[in-house]
Amino acid sequence: AQTVTQSQPEMSVQEAETVTLSCTYDTSENNYYLFWYKQPPSRQMILVIRQEAYKQQNATENRFSVNFQKAAKSFSLKISDSQLGDTAMYFCAFMKPGLYNQGGKLIFGQGTELSVKP
Amino acid sequence: DAGVTQSPTHLIKTRGQHVTLRCSPISGHKSVSWYQQVLGQGPQFIFQYYEKEERGRGNFPDRFSARQFPNYSSELNVNALLLGDSALYLCASSFAGTGGISPLHFGNGTRLTVT
C-alpha cells in the first residue's frame, strides 16, 4: 500500500521569502503521479502543481516548483516570493493511474499549515 | 465554466439518521470521486465512479454507498450515522480519457456534523 508523509505540521515564512515544504512517500509502483494541493480556509482543494514519475525534469508553475527525487521517494514544494495569499494548508498527494486512465484515487499526506507573515 | 458544485454546504444530523450528499461535476468530466476529511487530517478516499460504475472503494464500512447518474452527477449516502462521521465531505471530478491523467478538481465540500 502507498503512504504519504508530511513531517512538518506547521511552517511560517515572511512575505517575499522562500519556503520549502517536505513530503516523502512509499510505493512499489514505477508509474505514478504526485501532486501538491492547497486548501485555504474556504475549504476548496486547489491544485498547485503536478509531477509525473516518468519525467526527470522537475515541474514548475510560476512561483511554485518541486524537487522530485524518485530514488529517495521525496517530493518537496518550494514557494518563492511568498505572498499573503499563499497562507493555507498544503497537502502532498500520490496517485496511481486507474485502469481506464480515469484518475485513480489520491492518497494524501497529513498536511502542512503554512502561514505567510507580513 | 462552473466548477464542481456540492450541496448542501452544511448539514447537521442526529446519530442513527441517514444523509445524502450531492455533487455535480465540471461539464465534460465523467469521473467523480468522494473523500472524507476529518478536522486536522488529509482527505481519505471513499469512492470513485466512472461512466456510472464504481471503479474504486476505500476502507469505509457498508454504511457508505454512492451512485453516479447518466448526467455524471453523483450522490453519497451514509446510513446509521455515527459521531465519527462528522467531517468535511469532498467531491472531485476529472476528465477521463487517453493521454495521461487529468488532475482532480474539487468542490467546496459539505460540512456534516453528527450530534
Side-chain angles (χ1 to χ4, degrees):
Chain A
Q2 293 84 15
T3 59
V4 178
T5 302
Q6 294 178 249
S7 58
Q8 305 153 314
E10 298 177 356
M11 293 193 72
S12 65
V13 63
Q14 292 296 128
E15 195 174 8
E17 294 188 346
T18 296
V19 64
T20 299
L21 308 183
S22 300
C23 172
T24 58
Y25 59 95
D26 188 26
T27 184
S28 59
E29 301 288 335
N30 190 48
N31 181 29
Y32 53 87
Y33 297 80
L34 295 165
F35 304 86
W36 279 97
Y37 278 88
K38 165 186 176 181
Q39 188 177 39
S42 65
R43 306 184 323 199
Q44 186 178 21
M45 199 73 75
I46 301 166
L47 178 65
V48 174
I49 198 166
R50 60 180 282 182
Q51 174 80 41
E52 291 84 354
Y54 62 86
K55 291 186 177 179
Q56 294 185 345
Q57 186 173 5
N58 289 324
T60 61
E61 287 287 343
N62 300 314
R63 298 184 295 107
F64 299 88
S65 61
V66 299
N67 183 5
F68 173 49
Q69 302 289 327
K70 190 173 184 179
K73 298 180 181 175
S74 170
F75 183 61
S76 61
L77 174 70
K78 185 172 81 172
I79 305 174
S80 304
D81 185 25
S82 296
Q83 301 176 359
L84 296 178
D86 295 334
T87 293
M89 183 72 82
Y90 286 80
F91 291 98
C92 177
F94 171 101
M95 176 187 284
K96 184 178 71 172
L99 180 62
Y100 300 98
N101 225 22
Q102 73 276 32
K105 72 177 185 180
L106 278 169
I107 299 170
F108 286 89
Q110 306 93 314
T112 295
E113 186 169 7
L114 177 66
S115 297
V116 180
K117 301 184 183 305
Chain B
D1 286 341
V4 177
T5 58
Q6 292 187 243
S7 63
T9 55
H10 296 85
L11 202 53
I12 300 175
K13 290 285 190 178
T14 304
R15 278 177 297 175
Q17 286 187 318
H18 161 272
V19 68
T20 297
L21 310 181
R22 296 178 174 83
C23 172
S24 294
I26 292 172
S27 178
H29 286 192
K30 298 180 179 180
S31 177
V32 171
S33 301
W34 287 95
Y35 291 80
Q36 181 195 65
Q37 186 177 18
V38 174
L39 190 63
Q41 297 182 17
Q44 297 289 317
F45 172 77
I46 309 175
F47 285 111
Q48 184 198 3
Y49 277 78
Y50 173 62
E51 287 286 13
K52 292 151 281 185
E53 292 188 15
E54 183 182 302
R55 303 293 185 178
R57 172 186 286 254
N59 188 24
F60 280 81
D62 291 343
R63 299 185 296 107
F64 289 76
S65 64
R67 55 180 175 169
Q68 187 176 34
F69 298 99
N71 66 353
Y72 301 108
S73 67
S74 178
E75 284 182 353
L76 175 70
N77 296 284
V78 187
N79 292 324
L81 285 166
L82 303 175
L83 295 178
D85 295 332
S86 295
L88 179 67
Y89 288 84
L90 296 167
C91 174
S93 73
S94 66
F95 175 79
T98 59
I101 291 292
S102 76
L104 271 62
H105 297 264
F106 286 84
N108 285 351
T110 294
R111 172 73 67 191
L112 172 65
T113 301
V114 182
T115 62

